[in-house]
Amino acid sequence: MALKSPKEFVDSLRDGRVVFYRGERVKDVTEHPVTRRAIDHVAADYRIAEEPEHRDLMTYVDEQGQRHSRYFKVPRNADDLLRRREMIEASTRAGHGVVLLIKEIGTDFLFAMRAVATYMATRGKPECLARLERYHASCQERDVAMAVAQTDVKGDRSLGPTEQAHPDYYVRVVSRTEDGIVVRGAKAHTTGSILANEIAVLPTRALSEADRDYAVAFAVPPNAKGLRMILSPFSEAAPSEFHHPIGARHKIVDTLTIFDDVFVPWERVFMDGEWQYAGAIANTFVQFHRFTAAAYKLPWIDLMVGAAMLMADANGITRANHVREKLARLINYRETVLGLTKMSAIQHRMLDGGIAVPDPVLSNAAKFHFAENYHVMVRNVQDIAGGLLVTGPGEEDLANPETGPDIEKYLGGKKGVPTRDRLRLMNLIRDMMASEIGGYHEILSIHAEGSLETQKLTMVREFDAKPLLEFTRRCAHLGE
Amino acid sequence: MALKSPKEFVDSLRDGRVVFYRGERVKDVTEHPVTRRAIDHVAADYRIAEEPEHRDLMTYVDEQGQRHSRYFKVPRNADDLLRRREMIEASTRAGHGVVLLIKEIGTDFLFAMRAVATYMATRGKPECLARLERYHASCQERDVAMAVAQTDVKGDRSLGPTEQAHPDYYVRVVSRTEDGIVVRGAKAHTTGSILANEIAVLPTRALSEADRDYAVAFAVPPNAKGLRMILSPFSEAAPSEFHHPIGARHKIVDTLTIFDDVFVPWERVFMDGEWQYAGAIANTFVQFHRFTAAAYKLPWIDLMVGAAMLMADANGITRANHVREKLARLINYRETVLGLTKMSAIQHRMLDGGIAVPDPVLSNAAKFHFAENYHVMVRNVQDIAGGLLVTGPGEEDLANPETGPDIEKYLGGKKGVPTRDRLRLMNLIRDMMASEIGGYHEILSIHAEGSLETQKLTMVREFDAKPLLEFTRRCAHLGE
Amino acid sequence: MALKSPKEFVDSLRDGRVVFYRGERVKDVTEHPVTRRAIDHVAADYRIAEEPEHRDLMTYVDEQGQRHSRYFKVPRNADDLLRRREMIEASTRAGHGVVLLIKEIGTDFLFAMRAVATYMATRGKPECLARLERYHASCQERDVAMAVAQTDVKGDRSLGPTEQAHPDYYVRVVSRTEDGIVVRGAKAHTTGSILANEIAVLPTRALSEADRDYAVAFAVPPNAKGLRMILSPFSEAAPSEFHHPIGARHKIVDTLTIFDDVFVPWERVFMDGEWQYAGAIANTFVQFHRFTAAAYKLPWIDLMVGAAMLMADANGITRANHVREKLARLINYRETVLGLTKMSAIQHRMLDGGIAVPDPVLSNAAKFHFAENYHVMVRNVQDIAGGLLVTGPGEEDLANPETGPDIEKYLGGKKGVPTRDRLRLMNLIRDMMASEIGGYHEILSIHAEGSLETQKLTMVREFDAKPLLEFTRRCAHLGE
Amino acid sequence: MALKSPKEFVDSLRDGRVVFYRGERVKDVTEHPVTRRAIDHVAADYRIAEEPEHRDLMTYVDEQGQRHSRYFKVPRNADDLLRRREMIEASTRAGHGVVLLIKEIGTDFLFAMRAVATYMATRGKPECLARLERYHASCQERDVAMAVAQTDVKGDRSLGPTEQAHPDYYVRVVSRTEDGIVVRGAKAHTTGSILANEIAVLPTRALSEADRDYAVAFAVPPNAKGLRMILSPFSEAAPSEFHHPIGARHKIVDTLTIFDDVFVPWERVFMDGEWQYAGAIANTFVQFHRFTAAAYKLPWIDLMVGAAMLMADANGITRANHVREKLARLINYRETVLGLTKMSAIQHRMLDGGIAVPDPVLSNAAKFHFAENYHVMVRNVQDIAGGLLVTGPGEEDLANPETGPDIEKYLGGKKGVPTRDRLRLMNLIRDMMASEIGGYHEILSIHAEGSLETQKLTMVREFDAKPLLEFTRRCAHLGE
């Protein structure tokens, strides 16, 4: 197959998976209006891969002449990473700023697991690498949508897996048989699980020897027996395209994913008990994934900058000094995040197995710059837009002949900008930055792909201080 | 009467006022579920005035021995202002952090208008003061709920009233008769208009002589002929008290308020054509109102700090250094806003007519500190709470026996904190800071009571630099 | 005596004290030009106490009708604290923004030690309180200048006193006799020690039982045998009043203070081995001292604001928007620090012995606001002044007929501002904010009176969260 | 010649140039100790060009096989710009973090002038380009040191050149002859003028037709008749290498540069009256120069980061959480400035004449990030170092046998770090960040290469918003 059509993708999701939404079992995720909206959103990945103008970016031809989704291509150099960044940006742009994340994160896992398994192979554990390579090839061949479940529910965050009130706060192996392992536990906020073909699972942190049973990485299909997904109802938008130009059509889905003694055959087990490598796989995955994050944020930032500029114009305040100051901050924000992301690809490091990973200091700097300043940038856009964002009339008031003309008359802005366009800009900004979806994106900015603290820790840990310390010692005449 | 009961207040709102909501005329604001929620919310003002523990704070006894709502008491000294601040805090606390604003803003107008009218009286315009005093007495006697409509819709913000595409972008007098004036135009985001007994109207900015017809201040009842209110549908919360512990019960209502040739009798006109004083009334009102703002923000900030602390405890991270850092920032935020607000009362200035106004530099510093840092404080709370804020399950999932036990088991935090309480804390934080309501409050933080820029301008304008310039000149030996 | 004259003060310093400066023994601190500058600077305290316009502020009359320096008055209420703040401000203003610190810090120690000793007395240790009271009375009677040595040199900051490479990194008791104790160790950055009549010593941190010998508080005269003071050469300014309008006349002196087996008679020992109270005295002293800090910063901030305003005017940029923005930030900074400081006095707490201490959350918020933002405010002033701050000509170039006219002609600014005054403003700003003294003040801002971290810790520790947690629990329906 | 030796460079400076320092004429800049220090500092450029390990970086071989300083190579692509950045970094590293700036800025001028002159040539003004090309070739052939004088003294900043109190506040042409022009005026803070072989002069801002005589660009030798340079005495350090490890050996020199009717032959005039291009040359020069700035800041930042790390270790606080936080901020700062600078080279734009200029949005973002955060980064380093920075003893106290052993004993830090090394680190930090030099660098951070405001303006002006606005319009359904 190698490349699925959007229809094939949608069809592939009717497989009996167990999904709950607002207290009810969702019979068929392709039919329920909420899940269907999310599916249509991510199907854009398959759609644009077929479009002539995106085809060369979204796909690649392997040495055998077979065309595949470019997501599955193992990055070997800066150009691979730059193209990957561009591809993620393009697909997110197809989602009007909302990431699709059905291949980005899954392949982040595949690359990281491959690098760690290669390393494990050099330490006398060759079987994981072999399985991972077969799994990778199969995923590519089937052109699957993938979710990754990493974050354990964790219970008391100050305690490790074995110190918790019950032992299942972190996903663990409860038994092993000749055929495979049985896992139990739950993972929080698994994005895209309900519309994936594969769910990959990996540890969320470094582990000690006592945590051996928690050092487990594997993949299961979403209809695996014992797997239950509880879909979060938050960030739902009303279906008004006027009020929710983004949210009415684009949607990220997250689940609490429960592994109720799920059996996983050995062929799909990539780590089982090798606690020494739990930290490595957790961190390596994150290195790839923060780059993905920095890449997919761009279209959303572009909408923030663009909406601020158009709104300033509609309000007639483009020349106000404080507005120019805010626009400068927004532009600077965009360019810094984008510039550092690209630079992290260009200054990549090479992992075991000849896999290129974006420079972790720079990719974390990019993600950190995005995350730490997001709320302030939201404030800047809201500031430019004005209070009408949340005190304005509804779509139905515009349609009502008793009130519509008042609104048309009184809510106009700068001459030449139609009132309706001014309201559409308000709606875009509110939808993105002052609504359920707005709240979702604020949380996403600081919690997705690791918190602010983890990014700072990574920068300190990965920074190569040696040349700089040597230079300082010399300039300070230390030891003289 | 002097003091209304909650029931009397509700009854007073059935007067034929013209209110639209989502494209439909609201027949009776006391019956529509959305407006009723807002009415029940603000009725707390009348309720607590009757409670023994609040009575002395919420009311006062005048020289004739008559008890009135304390809101109407003209502040004469620091103690009056401190008590007023405490009263506003207490009533907002009764609203669980959501301001009631049915007397706060109206009396801010009465005090400011009184001071300016007193000044106008010394300039040969005595009639406005006399009318205002009668109006003030009547409002107090009837114990009315009041809204204030100040912000004009403004059109192109870079242009003045007379330069706009049409002349009605600012409210103006279109004709004058022996009995009164006729006004036309619209005011944006009028808070509480649909549940007030009086709507006071004043200019939004300083005006030039050419803008004479825009220099108009007056009051009308909400059922005045030609007055239409379009109620904003934004910041509506679902009626789940589990998911929306604040929003399901408390609600601020804002309207686009249209004056379609509304007649106002002279007795209710407080400024008509005195363009020289337009800036004075706009600014003086705002001086009182920023103090009100700083006062009513406190319970909301308290909920932010309290939720962050309880959430940190429930997650087991109270001792993490970055959490302690964030809690320190939150505490510092609260104390700074509160400390500066109180200090502005203690260092008040005296206006014409012996009216005490909070020190404008300090009250603006308090409001500015609140507004500029709000989004970052939101980020701090969201950071402590975690991603589960927006990826967690719904109330119905907890009730469903197929999923409820999973949730109970897996979403527990620190031992001893019930899972349900942990989820309630998540819900509180999401309701306040990552939802429609959360977006509303972000906008409110920077746009209500004047924008960030206006607060900076006020501080520069009102700052008494003389002693400090003299000291600097001396230390720098200028002129020597 | 009760009140010393400036001359009596200077005379009192010729007592054989051992002071080193740049490798040489200073024979007489009143004669060496550097120490003399510092002495003349602090003598202002005695001078203004004699001036009619300051006398009532700088002194008070006790119940016996005796007039004393107000510094020694134990604060009993808000008014005492507010007057104390005003007095500290006035004396620092006499120092042109540079704190005198010859009574401020010493009396901070006396008040704190008195409160802790009172508490110790209730725990069966009455002798310390009695000695302290006699010592306090004697200091007041002799109108002494006092220094306080708190910060131990500390060695490895991650280790406690007994874990260090040698046991003397914290000052400790090495032996006890019938007559007193013998102490050894060194204290860092003791301000004013070389020009004090008394040096009080106290622990720098909480201690454990093993640290018993480090739990020592006492006072010695600066000429005590075995006491050596090494005066720091940093922050010296050239004696040009043109280039250093502040630094050429005002100077803070700090020493490394070495206790080489100094004997202290029991009458001057206020704590010896009571390790349980070491944290209490360290913290209580700091509570008083942070208030002192917040008080004495004001004149310096005033000079920053004033210099920025006058400089903006001289450069002709007062109306530039970014300049107004920076002035607004500076004004806001000043008002916030001052407002919170005053509020901490008004909301004081009562300690054992009926001693009023400023509210520690507010005084720390004031100090923290000052310290965290100081460098950015410096940047704002430097930004307004321009690069000429450090690329301009010297005083001698102005005097040189070959270059003076060029400078007069070309370095003029706005018409009406003499070139020389513009340069004087440049000099003031450079002297304060871009010189040795500027560096000193940056360090002072973050390290004097405790670091940024200690202020955050104090706010968290001292904050009364109970009412706010209760309110949050109620609003979140916890436990329902 | 093509490459000068350090000695040839020094010799070339004995040419009778008129330099004043502290009121006296400097007879020979190579002999006066202050100017000699600055000359030895910049001579490093010639020295390292001869070193085998730097030769390929610092020089290039042209098409005729002639080796030249790489500075003079016109950048044609990303690689040229990246090498240039690396070269500037390397030479600044040779200056121990202090930029040399004897070829960086001059060639920035040559490239910008060449691009603008090329453009002017297409507009019918070919002679400037021809002269510039000859001048460029000559500068390269002679391997000259160059200074650039751009910033006029400006007088009242709110007024243009012709509105000032006298007409010479901006450099202007006072007469023209057959042989050349005569210029009058003064330029502020001309870096390196006293030790250059050429001084290039260009306008500081866009000009109007009335300002025609101010639209002048040219080059003169420093000994031109009528040229006087007043060397600024600020940022002088004492010659102690212990206390001033940087400042005792490295020095930037700035002058007030006076053009007292200086004659310039036509061959050296590159613009005369073409006011339409004044803005273009001012801006284009700055585009190159901000990239230079971002490049030369790196070694200084490296010293900040390195000193903070080594100091944290010496104090035993590397593991303290707040220290790790500060180190993370410092690392992030370094990586962001460096990453954006490199990216601006990679994403260069092409100017007229096929000259590659770094992307102005990114290079300004790099410079802005550096400048806006510099003071806070200084605070972070100072915070880690501690108060001893400015209260510690002098070098002579260490040498004195009466005090040296005390200092050795008491000012030790973590075991294993010699006391003297700990003090050397203190000295490095104070020298760089809390001294005359520290003040100089703070001013430099915000004023050199354009102020914070100009960088924001440039980002807004140069940002290509079109694609992003188009995307926003589509997502918001504008015009539908």
Side-chain angles (χ1 to χ4, degrees), chain B residues 120-270:
Chain B
M120 288 164 69
T122 69
R123 290 290 186 281
K125 292 265 178 186
E127 66 277 19
C128 294
L129 177 59
R131 290 178 198 157
L132 192 279
E133 285 176 344
R134 288 191 294 269
Y135 179 67
H136 188 162
S138 155
C139 287
Q140 173 170 284
E141 177 56 26
R142 293 178 290 140
D143 197 19
V144 295
M146 296 182 75
V148 172
Q150 179 179 35
T151 311
D152 291 286
V153 292
K154 289 184 185 164
D156 185 328
R157 271 82 182 137
S158 68
L159 306 175
T162 58
E163 304 163 311
Q164 299 284 343
H166 70 70
D168 303 339
Y169 272 141
Y170 287 72
V171 166
R172 65 185 178 118
V173 180
V174 287
S175 66
R176 292 174 183 81
T177 71
E178 206 172 304
D179 298 329
I181 60 176
V182 174
V183 295
R184 185 187 301 160
K187 294 278 189 177
H189 28 90
T190 321
T191 302
S193 52
I194 64 148
L195 42 69
N197 305 113
E198 290 285 338
I199 300 176
V201 178
L202 76 163
T204 200
R205 50 176 285 176
L207 297 171
S208 67
E209 188 162 6
D211 306 320
R212 181 182 291 274
D213 287 341
Y214 298 92
V216 60
F218 58 91
V220 288
N223 65 351
K225 189 154 173 268
L227 186 61
R228 287 193 290 279
M229 296 177 273
I230 307 177
L231 177 57
S232 177
F234 304 124
S235 93
E236 254 305 289
S240 158
E241 293 214 8
F242 183 70
H243 284 313
H244 297 284
I246 305 296
R249 291 173 51 193
H250 302 284
K251 182 170 174 55
I252 300 177
V253 282
D254 303 285
T255 63
L256 176 64
T257 309
I258 292 146
F259 297 84
D260 188 359
D261 291 358
V262 172
F263 170 77
V264 188
W266 286 117
E267 184 62 18
R268 286 171 159 273
V269 176
F270 311 119

Side-chain angles (χ1 to χ4, degrees), chain C residues 45-257:
Chain C
D45 179 73
Y46 296 98
R47 191 185 74 235
I48 64 172
E50 295 180 343
E51 294 172 357
E53 71 269 34
H54 287 113
R55 183 176 140 140
D56 284 349
L57 178 61
M58 303 304 293
T59 65
Y60 81 108
V61 178
D62 70 12
E63 291 170 6
Q64 284 73 44
Q66 174 94 37
R67 187 171 289 274
H68 304 286
S69 166
R70 182 182 292 278
Y71 281 108
F72 295 103
K73 185 173 197 298
V74 177
R76 302 295 184 188
N77 50 44
D79 193 58
D80 281 348
L81 290 168
L82 286 170
R83 294 283 277 169
R84 184 170 167 87
R85 193 208 68 75
E86 210 182 329
M87 171 175 62
I88 293 170
E89 183 189 325
S91 79
T92 310
R93 224 171 266 286
H96 285 184
V98 180
V99 69
L100 308 183
L101 213 72
I102 55 170
K103 291 190 185 150
E104 297 86 331
I105 192 170
T107 49
D108 287 338
F109 167 78
L110 291 174
F111 304 152
M113 194 72 239
R114 180 183 283 253
V116 173
T118 305
Y119 182 70
M120 288 165 71
T122 68
R123 289 293 186 281
K125 291 265 178 186
E127 66 277 18
C128 295
L129 178 58
R131 290 176 196 158
L132 192 280
E133 286 177 343
R134 287 191 295 269
Y135 180 68
H136 188 162
S138 155
C139 288
Q140 173 170 283
E141 177 54 26
R142 293 179 290 141
D143 198 19
V144 295
M146 294 180 76
V148 173
Q150 180 178 34
T151 312
D152 291 286
V153 291
K154 287 184 186 165
D156 184 329
R157 272 81 181 137
S158 68
L159 306 176
T162 58
E163 303 163 312
Q164 300 283 345
H166 68 70
D168 303 340
Y169 271 142
Y170 286 73
V171 167
R172 65 183 175 117
V173 179
V174 288
S175 65
R176 292 172 183 81
T177 71
E178 206 171 304
D179 298 329
I181 60 175
V182 174
V183 295
R184 183 187 302 162
K187 294 279 188 176
H189 28 90
T190 320
T191 302
S193 50
I194 64 147
L195 42 70
N197 305 113
E198 290 285 337
I199 300 176
V201 179
L202 76 164
T204 200
R205 51 176 285 175
L207 297 170
S208 67
E209 188 162 4
D211 305 321
R212 182 181 291 274
D213 286 342
Y214 297 91
V216 60
F218 58 91
V220 288
N223 65 351
K225 188 155 175 265
L227 187 62
R228 285 194 291 279
M229 297 178 273
I230 306 177
L231 177 57
S232 178
F234 304 124
S235 92
E236 254 307 287
S240 157
E241 293 215 9
F242 182 70
H243 284 313
H244 297 283
I246 305 296
R249 291 173 51 193
H250 302 285
K251 181 169 173 56
I252 301 178
V253 281
D254 302 285
T255 62
L256 175 66
T257 309

Side-chain angles (χ1 to χ4, degrees), chain A residues 408-423:
Chain A
E408 280 285 353
K409 173 179 178 184
Y410 284 116
L411 297 188
K414 194 178 117 181
K415 210 173 166 178
V417 177
T419 297
R420 220 162 266 258
D421 274 6
R422 187 167 174 252
L423 294 177

Side-chain angles (χ1 to χ4, degrees), chain C residues 261-273:
Chain C
D261 291 358
V262 173
F263 170 75
V264 188
W266 287 116
E267 184 62 16
R268 285 171 160 273
V269 176
F270 311 118
M271 179 179 287
D272 171 29

Side-chain angles (χ1 to χ4, degrees), chain C residues 9-29:
Chain C
F9 162 64
V10 173
D11 290 345
S12 74
L13 302 176
R14 296 192 195 98
D15 61 1
R17 56 190 64 196
V18 179
V19 174
F20 291 90
Y21 182 71
R22 291 190 179 275
E24 304 208 345
R25 175 81 188 270
V26 175
K27 298 252 164 62
D28 180 343
V29 291

